[in-house]
């Protein structure tokens, strides 16, 4: 399961509702939730955040919390 999938599960989000509110298909939401190679687009993240009434920045931080700059670039 992806970070987005874990987040939606933890928050008990109804994916059918998200699909209706955002226009993102349930199949696409399923891919985003379960397939780590599926890329989440910024517009999708923003719409999902609006649909579940969370701050888009907070959702971004949660979904990509493990992402860091390479060590050589942090000097």
């Amino acid at each position: 399961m992806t970070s987005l999938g874990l987040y939606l599960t933890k928050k008990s989000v109804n994916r059918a509702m998200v699909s209706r509110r955002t226009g993102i298909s349930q199949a696409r939401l399923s891919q985003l939730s379960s397939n780590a190679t599926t890329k989440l687009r910024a517009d999708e993240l923003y719409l999902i955040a609006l649909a579940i009434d969370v701050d888009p920045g907070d959702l971004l931080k949660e979904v990509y919390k493990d992402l860091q700059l390479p060590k050589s670039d942090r000097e």
Side-chain angles (χ1 to χ4, degrees):
M1 189 169 286
T2 65
S3 296
L4 177 63
L6 292 171
Y7 182 84
L8 295 176
T9 300
K10 182 175 78 173
K11 295 284 187 181
S12 300
V13 171
N14 181 322
R15 293 181 188 161
M17 174 273 299
V18 172
S19 178
R20 282 193 307 277
R21 288 184 178 177
T22 64
I24 301 169
S25 72
Q26 288 190 39
R28 177 69 177 158
L29 288 171
S30 180
Q31 282 182 328
L32 291 168
S33 296
S34 61
N35 187 348
T37 62
T38 302
K39 300 297 181 188
L40 175 62
R41 297 187 330 242
D43 62 321
E44 292 171 325
L45 182 138
Y46 188 77
L47 289 172
I48 292 167
L50 293 178
I52 62 174
D53 198 31
V54 298
D55 182 85
D58 292 341
L59 180 57
L60 179 71
K61 288 176 188 176
E62 182 64 29
V63 170
Y64 293 106
K65 66 184 172 202
D66 296 329
L67 192 60
Q68 296 182 358
L69 291 173
K71 192 171 188 171
S72 61
D73 291 341
R74 290 188 277 171
E75 296 176 5

